[in-house]
Amino acid sequence: MVKSYLKFEPVKSFGLIATSSSNLVWTNKGRSGTGAGQAIVAANEEVLIWDIKKGELLGRWRDENSRAQVTAITQSKADPDLFAVGYEDGSIRLWDSKIATAVVNFNGHKSAVTILAFDKTGVRLASGGKDTDIIIWDLVAEVGQYKLRGHRDQVTGLRFVEPEPQIQGEGDEQTMAIDNEAPEGFLLTTGKDALIKLWDLSSRHCIETHVAQTNGECWALGVSPDFSGCVTAGNDGEMKVWALDIAALASSAQHVDLSQTVKFLQDQGTLHRQSKDRAVEVIFHPRRDYFAVHGIEKSVEIWRIRTEVEIKKSVARKRKRRREKLAGAKGKKADGNVNMGEADDGADDITKADISDVFVQHVIVRTTGKVRSVAWATSSGSKGLQLLVGSTNNLLELYTIVGKGKDKTKSKAEAPDYNKTLAVELPGHRTDIRSLAISSDDKMLASAANGSLKIWNIRTSACIRTFECGYALCCAFLPGDKVMVVGTKEGELQLYDVNSAALLESVNAHDGSAIWSLQVHPDGKSVVSGGADKAAKFWDFRIVQEQVLGTTRTTPKLKLVPSRVLKVADDILSLRFSPDSKLLAVALLDSTVKVFFVDTLKLYLNLYGHKLPVLSMDMSYDSKLIVTSSADKNIRIWGLDFGDCHKALFGHQDSILQVAFVPHNSDGNGHHFFSAGKDRAIKYWDADKFEQIQRIDGHHGEIWALAIGHNGRFLVSASHDKSVRVWEETDEQIFLEEEREREIEELYESTLNASLEADPDAADANGEVGAATKQTSETLMAGERIAEALELGVTDLAAVREWEETKLANPRAAAAPPQRNPIFLALGGISAEQYVMSVLQKIKAAALHDALLVLPFASVPVLFTFLDLFAKRSMNMPLTCRILFFMLKTHHKQIVASRTMRSMLDAIRTNLREALRKQKDEMGYNIAALKVVGMQMAESSVKGFVDENWDEEREEREGAAIKKRAFVHVS
C-alpha cells in the first residue's frame, strides 16, 4: 500500500515591522487631530498597516496567489482608500484599504516594479520597473494602455505633470484652452542611466531628455507640489535642481508643431548633500517649502526653500561682502562701480541668485538604523514638521522637527532640532534571529538575535517579553519554562527570568570564545555548551542561598555550577544529547562528528563523510538514527548502533543550516525530519525511505533557525527576512508521486514564463511606444479556454442550424432535436453564444488582450461569427466592442485581404450600429429623466443656511498663509 503523509501549511507570520524591499506611505485616514496617522509598509509578500501612536498592527493585505515581495507602494490622491502595490515579479495590485482586498490585478513588467504614481484624477497609474519600461494603466477599463521605452536602465523616478489648461479671454468670454478634449498631460521620469525625460502623453513620445547627474547614475526624483520644478539625486551626494516651465507646458498642449528651441526643463544648478552616499529618495512636503533627501546611511537631510525676502537679503549680503573685498583691493573707484550696479535692486536680484541662496540645509535627522524610506506626516493637529522613517533594521520611527523655521526673523533664534516622538519597535528584532526555542507546553516561543531576546505567544503572535542580551547564537528553555539560558558570541552563558524579565546570572563559560551550541540534558538537571575554545562544558543547575546586602536574610538564587569538561580536537559547531540520555554527539569544524558516552565521556563512534563542516544535527526519538546537515549541501542519515551511513541525500542548493527530527512517534512519524538552508526552502524528509515528502517555500532569505513543537504538529522557522513563520500540520494527505508531478509542473511553468518573457514582440521591440502586454501561464490558460469555448460553440451552432433547416424543409416530419453538448445542458440549456460570452466575461479585463493573442488566426472567423451574434442580441456591448476593435487592430492586414472576412465585417457593422444606437437612445432618455428628477428635488427641498463656498474660501485663505515658492522665480 502506498504510504501517505500529512501536509504542512503556513498559518501565520510575525516578528516583522517593515522590510527594506519597498518604500512606505503615510496616511492620515481622515482623522482630524486624533492619533498620529498610519504607516502603510511592505513586509515581504504582505502589506502591513501600523498605527504609529499605539504601535498596533491594524491590518495586513495578502494575496494568497502571490509569493513575490512588495517593491513599491503609492496612494491615490483622488481616493485615499485606494493603494497601488508593485511586486517583485512585475505584477501590480490595486488594494481597497476599507475591505483589505485586491480589486484589480495588472501584469506587464518582466521584472520588479520600482516606482508607481497615480495621476491627480486617480484614473491612470504609471509604473516603472527594473526592465526599463514605463507602463500607463487605465484603471477604469482595467487595462494597460501602452508601454514607453527610452531608458536604458531601471526607472528610479516617476511623476505625472498635469498643468491646468490655460484660460483665454476675460469676463463672460472666458474659454478653456482645450474645450472638447482634456489633454492627457505629461510624465517626468528618471532612470539609473542618469537621464531625466519629459514625455508628452497625448502624442506618446519623449519631448525632452537631459543628463540628470554628472557622476553616472540618477537614483531619485522629487517634484514640487506646484510642478514648478524638481530635484534629482545620484551618487556622491550630488543633487541637481531643475526648473519646469509649467505655463509653457500648458500652452503647448494645444499646439501640434512645437518649436525645437523651447526647453521646458532648465538646469538651475547643483547642490551637495553632507553625506556622500547614494541617494534613495527625494520627498517634497505637500504643503510647506521643505524637502527631505536621504541615502543608505543613518541620516535624513531636510532642506528648506527660502522666501523671496530671504533670497534678497542673502544676495545683498553677498554683494556687500564682494564690495568690501573689492574696496580693500582696488580702492574707492571699484566701490563706486559696485554701487552703480547695486542701484538696480528688484526682481533681477532673485533671478541672478545662486541656487545655494534659494535652497539651504535645514536640519540633519540622525536615525537609529540605516534609512530605507521616508514620508512626511501631515497630521492636522501637529504644528511642526513630522517625518516618518522606515529603517532597514525592521523599525519605524516618527521624528518631529522643531526650532528655528523660516518665519523666525531673529538671527539669534535657536537652531532647528528634532526629537523622536514615536516608534514601532517592539514587535520585531533589529537583527537576524539566530536561534529559536519552544516551551514544553508549546505555548511560548523564544527568539534570540544580536542584542535582544524575545518571548512570543505562539497562538496570538504577541511579543510578551523583550530582554537585552549579547550577540545570542543559541538559546533554550529550562524545565518549567520559567528561565531561559542563552549562549553568546562573547562566550557567556546568560540566565533570564521570563516572569520578571531580569538577568539572573551571567557566566563567562568559554573564555571569550563563541558558544555555537547548547542543549539541556533530557533529565533537566544540567546543560552542556560547546564553543570555539574546543571544549564541551557541562553545567549543573543549583539553588544557592545568597545573602541580601545590608541584611542577615538570604534569598534562593539559581546558579550554573561547572561539573565536567570534554576537550576535543577542533571547534564545536553543534552538540546533541540522545533522547535516552546515553550518548552525546559533537560536530567539529574538521567536518567530523564524534559520539561520546554521556556517563564516562569515552568515544563511542566517529562519523566521517561530510566534505565541509557539519552545521546542525539531531537524533530520532528512539535514539537509533542521527541526521547531520553540512555546508556541502548534503544531509547524511547514520545509524547509532554501528555508525554506518544509511544514506547521503543532496538536500538543498546551498548550505544546510538546520535539521530537526519530529520529537515523537505518535503517527509513525518518529523518523521524519525537517531541514532548512540558505536556499530559503524548508524540506520534510522520511529517514526510513530516504525520500523528500514536501518542499515548503515562503521565506525570502536564508533560514537561520528551526524549531519543532513538542507535539510534532507545528514547525517554526526564522529567516534573514526578519520574519518568524509558523507552519502547521493539516489533515490533507500528500502522496509522493503527486508531489513530484506538482514540482515538475511548477518547474515547467517557471521555464515557460521565462521563455515567453524572453521573446519580445518583434513589431515594437525597438520602438519608443509598445503594447502593454505580458504573456503568463494565466493568460495562456485563458486563451485555451476561449479556443475551447469557440470550438464547442461553433459545433453547437452548426447542429442547431442543421436541425432548423431540416425542420423548415419538411415541417410535417418530426425531426429529433439536435444532440447538444452536455455542458450546455448542465448550464440550463443555454445557447452557444451565451456560453461563449460567459467564458469571455470570466476572464479578467487586464488579461483579456493577452488571452486573445494566444488564439490562432484560424479561430478569428469563428470569433467574428459570435461577435456578430453578440451585436445582434445586444449582449455586453462594451466587451463586444473591445474584443472586436482589438482583433481588428491585431489582424488588420489578414482580415482586409480575405473576401469572406470583409463580408462578415459588413454584417457586424450593421448589427453593431443598430445595437449602439439603441443603447445611445436609452442612455439619453435616462439622463434626461435624471435631470428632471433632480430639478423636482431641488424645487421641493428646503434651503439651509449654509455657505456653499465656505470650504473653497478656507482653502484659499490657507493657501495664501502658506504661499509656495515656485522654482520658476529663480530661472
Side-chain angles (χ1 to χ4, degrees), residues 569-604:
D570 216 331
D571 294 11
I572 296 175
L573 299 182
S574 180
L575 40 78
R576 277 288 174 272
F577 283 110
S578 62
D580 61 6
S581 309
K582 291 180 180 177
L583 301 174
L584 173 69
V586 179
L588 305 182
L589 192 60
D590 62 5
S591 308
T592 65
V593 176
K594 297 184 182 297
V595 184
F596 298 90
F597 290 106
V598 173
D599 50 1
T600 61
L601 294 186
K602 285 186 177 179
L603 182 63
Y604 171 51

Side-chain angles (χ1 to χ4, degrees), residues 505-698:
E505 189 186 15
S506 181
V507 179
N508 185 4
H510 286 259
D511 303 323
S513 301
I515 300 174
W516 291 110
S517 183
L518 63 82
Q519 194 187 13
V520 178
H521 192 281
D523 66 5
K525 295 178 181 176
S526 63
V527 64
V528 62
S529 60
D533 60 350
K534 303 177 183 178
K537 298 190 177 181
F538 294 80
W539 307 84
D540 291 337
F541 304 131
R542 298 272 177 84
I543 303 295
V544 179
Q545 296 293 329
E546 267 197 356
Q547 189 173 350
V548 180
L549 288 174
T551 66
T552 56
R553 290 186 294 105
T554 59
T555 181
K557 192 174 183 183
L558 182 66
K559 289 273 190 184
L560 289 175
V561 179
S563 59
R564 295 184 294 173
V565 177
L566 171 65
K567 293 282 186 183
V568 289
D570 216 331
D571 294 11
I572 296 175
L573 299 182
S574 180
L575 40 78
R576 277 288 174 272
F577 283 110
S578 62
D580 61 6
S581 309
K582 291 180 180 177
L583 301 174
L584 173 69
V586 179
L588 305 182
L589 192 60
D590 62 5
S591 308
T592 65
V593 176
K594 297 184 182 297
V595 184
F596 298 90
F597 290 106
V598 173
D599 50 1
T600 61
L601 294 186
K602 285 186 177 179
L603 182 63
Y604 171 51
L605 293 171
N606 269 325
L607 308 179
Y608 299 102
H610 283 290
K611 295 179 178 66
L612 289 172
V614 173
L615 303 176
S616 178
M617 57 187 180
D618 200 11
M619 297 192 199
S620 63
Y621 78 103
D622 55 6
S623 304
K624 288 182 179 178
L625 295 179
I626 179 170
V627 62
T628 57
S629 65
S630 165
D632 62 9
K633 309 176 191 175
N634 283 317
I635 298 167
R636 285 180 178 263
I637 302 163
W638 316 77
L640 277 173
D641 43 6
F642 301 109
D644 56 324
C645 180
H646 290 182
K647 190 72 173 177
L649 302 167
F650 180 77
H652 292 257
Q653 301 299 319
D654 210 329
S655 300
I656 304 170
L657 301 174
Q658 290 291 328
V659 67
F661 268 106
V662 175
H664 58 73
N665 193 35
S666 61
D667 299 319
N669 57 2
H671 284 181
H672 297 175
F673 65 93
F674 290 88
S675 64
K678 281 189 176 180
D679 62 352
R680 308 175 182 183
I682 301 169
K683 293 190 176 180
Y684 187 24
W685 303 86
D686 186 338
D688 292 327
K689 293 193 171 186
F690 315 127
E691 290 202 63
Q692 178 187 321
I693 301 168
Q694 186 188 356
R695 177 193 170 103
I696 304 171
D697 289 305

Side-chain angles (χ1 to χ4, degrees), residues 739-816:
E739 198 69 12
R740 295 297 86 77
E741 284 175 15
R742 187 183 60 80
E743 288 176 8
I744 291 168
E745 281 176 13
E746 286 179 0
L747 183 65
Y748 169 71
E749 283 186 10
S750 64
T751 53
L752 178 68
N753 289 343
S755 65
L756 288 169
E757 289 169 13
D759 184 25
D761 189 0
D764 58 9
N766 299 316
E768 196 175 52
V769 181
T773 61
K774 180 187 176 185
Q775 286 290 359
T776 63
S777 54
E778 183 186 355
T779 58
L780 286 176
M781 288 171 65
E784 288 171 5
R785 286 200 299 273
I786 295 173
E788 187 182 348
L790 290 174
E791 190 178 335
L792 289 173
V794 76
T795 307
D796 189 72
L797 278 180
V800 171
R801 192 183 300 116
E802 187 182 341
W803 174 68
E804 287 175 351
E805 287 173 359
T806 309
K807 205 172 177 183
L808 283 170
N810 191 2
R812 295 181 181 179

Side-chain angles (χ1 to χ4, degrees), residues 17 392-395 424-426 428-432 452 722:
I17 297 169
T392 56
N393 63 344
N394 203 22
L395 184 65
V424 182
E425 55 186 348
L426 277 181
H429 286 277
R430 305 284 79 76
T431 52
D432 288 2
S452 61
K722 303 282 195 305

